[in-house]
Amino acid sequence: MADFTLPELGENVTAGDVLRVLVKPGDTVAKDQTVLELETDKATIEVPSSVAGRVTAVSVKAGDKVKVGQVVLTVEDGAGKSAAAPAAAPQKAPEQAPEQASAPARDRAAGADASNNKPDDGPEQYVEGPKRGGAPAGPGAPGGKVKTGEKEQKEPSKVVDITRGARPSAEPAAADLPPAPAAPSVRRMARELGVDIDGVSGSGADGRISIEDVKSHTKRLLEGAARAGAGAPGSPGGGIALPDFSRWGQIERQPMRPVRRKTAEHLSAAWRAIPHVTQHDLADVTALEELRKKYAKEADDAGGSLTITAIATKVVAVALKVFPQFNASIDLAAEEIIYKKYVNIGIAVDTDRGLLVPVVRDADTKNIIQIAVEIAQLSAKARDRKISLDEMQGGCFSISNLGGIGGTYFTPIVNAPELAILGISRARMEPVWQATERGRGPASGEFVPRLMLPLSLSYDHRAIDGADGIRFLRWVVQALEQPFLLALQG
């Protein structure tokens, strides 16, 4: 028998929800045949098999959450080797030293230790002290005796020294501490949850940290923040302790879908970290609308749609060449600003799973018809769950068009690590004063109907000043009002 385990799905992708299982016991599967449709944080992925033969068992079903390295199906002998080595690892594991064991094997060992050492009498209590596993000491915390918060174990042989690596009362620097004993997958999960791995208490052998340890530590932090009334990042209800809503009527709880969960985490982090400024303006697109209608058939014939979004994508792509400070990202750790020499524009797409942002690459080198076709293709793939992770990465600037739904202005949240995002609302006819004569007396003129397009530009005030923000927005407005500007300055 040979097991097919879930392979690596992409950078920082460790798990997904099963949408469909495309094989069943008794089926014959070939190598590279799609056997699973998986929904991750941002995309639906078709998972091909790396084994071939007759399927004897399927270990997952629709709705299950599967992790990288988990067994998906089993085929008869001779079907090929598993996509990931863990199937053969158990035979050699006893001969390996702990340091030499593979990362998946270490994770399983850590998980087993975690379950064996789980206390029987409620959650452990942690007290402040400069150690791993407890609440971190404040920047100015004085030295002194460290309370370990050590858990009482029923079997002496299973006692776990969670003070391993604890600082003595002399308070040496953090760099003097040994690295936390955790596998790469555990460290990755801690980073994604925003948890300092050095603050997690390991329940495995020699204080080894498992994924369950990270989850438990995160849960304790969130519960403590809720009790204290603090707005802990990522906590339920935005850090607000929720009441029992069923007291006032019937309720229904549904789990957050991966896309919604990832969107909530990403935008919450962006809102906390980025000092947002949003500036608004109106573009007179009366003439542009006439041109759009005149040439719309050319885009239709090419397989696209000549929308305001497609036109704005080209305008913004040229604007990023004129204002390179908007085509950048901040590296606070290195105290540097990273300027990008390429121009990729993310387009927010409304889907039944939530907001997805596919990327039009090298938009500055493409004409509007090409951009229109690419946006149509990417949008269709996003709504049909065929978009790949690679097609949603590498953006320099984002555009969100809500005009098809309605509204006037809004404050879009910057899609970090980008520095700015343009929001487009619904265009409408408005009376605009146009002067007809200019003399020594008061100017004479009349109100005329003009199609006005509301624009909202949000940007990261750490890198972009207000004056530059309005210059960028005014350039976009003028380019929409006078398309010749694209050829003149682009």
Side-chain angles (χ1 to χ4, degrees), residues 88-114:
Q91 300 176 1
K92 297 183 179 181
E95 303 174 8
Q96 294 175 329
E99 309 82 73
Q100 298 171 331
S102 65
R106 291 197 300 267
D107 289 349
R108 287 195 296 273
D113 289 337

Side-chain angles (χ1 to χ4, degrees), residues 113-114 117-119 123-135 146-153 156 158-168 177-181 197-210 213 216-217 220:
D113 289 337
N117 292 314
K118 187 177 294 184
E124 61 176 306
Q125 300 296 319
Y126 287 82
V127 293
E128 184 172 353
K131 64 178 189 309
R132 268 193 201 107
V146 177
K147 297 181 181 180
T148 64
E150 193 169 284
K151 293 186 286 187
E152 181 180 347
Q153 304 292 332
K158 294 184 179 179
V159 172
V160 178
D161 181 12
I162 66 170
T163 63
R164 181 178 183 268
R167 301 179 190 173
L177 285 173
I197 192 68
D198 289 321
V200 179
S201 171
S203 57
D206 294 325
R208 187 161 191 79
I209 300 169
S210 70
D213 292 330
S216 298
H217 180 79
R220 286 193 296 271

Side-chain angles (χ1 to χ4, degrees), residues 213-431:
D213 292 330
V214 174
K215 291 180 179 179
S216 298
H217 180 79
T218 304
K219 183 178 179 181
R220 286 193 296 271
L221 291 178
L222 297 180
E223 289 175 346
R227 287 193 299 268
S235 59
I240 300 173
L242 299 179
D244 179 8
F245 296 108
S246 62
R247 291 168 51 198
W248 300 289
Q250 185 177 2
I251 64 171
E252 178 184 0
R253 285 183 174 268
Q254 294 183 355
M256 294 179 73
R257 301 195 66 168
V259 171
R260 174 56 55 198
R261 182 171 62 247
K262 187 64 177 180
T263 300
E265 294 171 358
H266 180 69
L267 293 182
S268 295
W271 185 254
R272 289 192 304 269
I274 297 174
H276 281 67
V277 174
T278 304
Q279 291 176 328
H280 309 283
D281 208 339
L282 281 168
D284 184 345
V285 294
T286 309
L288 182 65
E289 180 63 12
E290 294 177 0
L291 291 172
R292 190 190 69 81
K293 291 179 179 179
K294 181 178 179 180
Y295 296 103
K297 189 175 184 305
E298 292 188 21
D300 293 339
D301 293 341
S305 180
L306 191 55
T307 62
I308 285 293
T309 301
I311 298 170
T313 299
K314 181 62 179 180
V315 170
V316 167
V318 177
L320 291 178
K321 307 288 283 187
V322 179
F323 300 90
Q325 66 268 42
F326 281 78
N327 191 19
S329 292
I330 297 176
D331 185 347
L332 285 180
E335 296 182 350
E336 294 175 344
I337 296 179
I338 304 168
Y339 293 93
K340 301 157 191 173
K341 303 301 182 181
Y342 54 90
V343 178
N344 299 338
I345 307 296
I347 307 297
V349 177
D350 182 28
T351 75
D352 59 354
R353 296 181 295 146
L355 189 67
L356 300 179
V357 188
V359 174
V360 177
R361 300 190 184 281
D362 302 316
D364 57 320
T365 66
K366 299 172 181 176
N367 61 43
I368 296 176
I369 297 293
Q370 292 172 321
I371 291 173
V373 172
E374 189 166 344
I375 289 177
Q377 294 172 345
L378 290 171
S379 299
K381 291 175 72 174
R383 295 189 178 102
D384 295 340
R385 303 185 177 188
K386 300 297 183 183
I387 195 81
S388 69
L389 290 173
D390 184 64
E391 290 172 311
M392 294 189 293
Q393 296 175 340
C396 304
F397 186 106
S398 294
I399 295 176
S400 178
N401 187 348
L402 300 180
I405 302 174
T408 52
Y409 297 97
F410 63 107
T411 55
I413 297 177
V414 174
N415 185 21
E418 299 168 11
L419 292 184
I421 179 173
L422 180 67
I424 303 175
S425 299
R426 173 172 289 179
R428 61 181 180 180
M429 297 300 296
E430 295 183 4

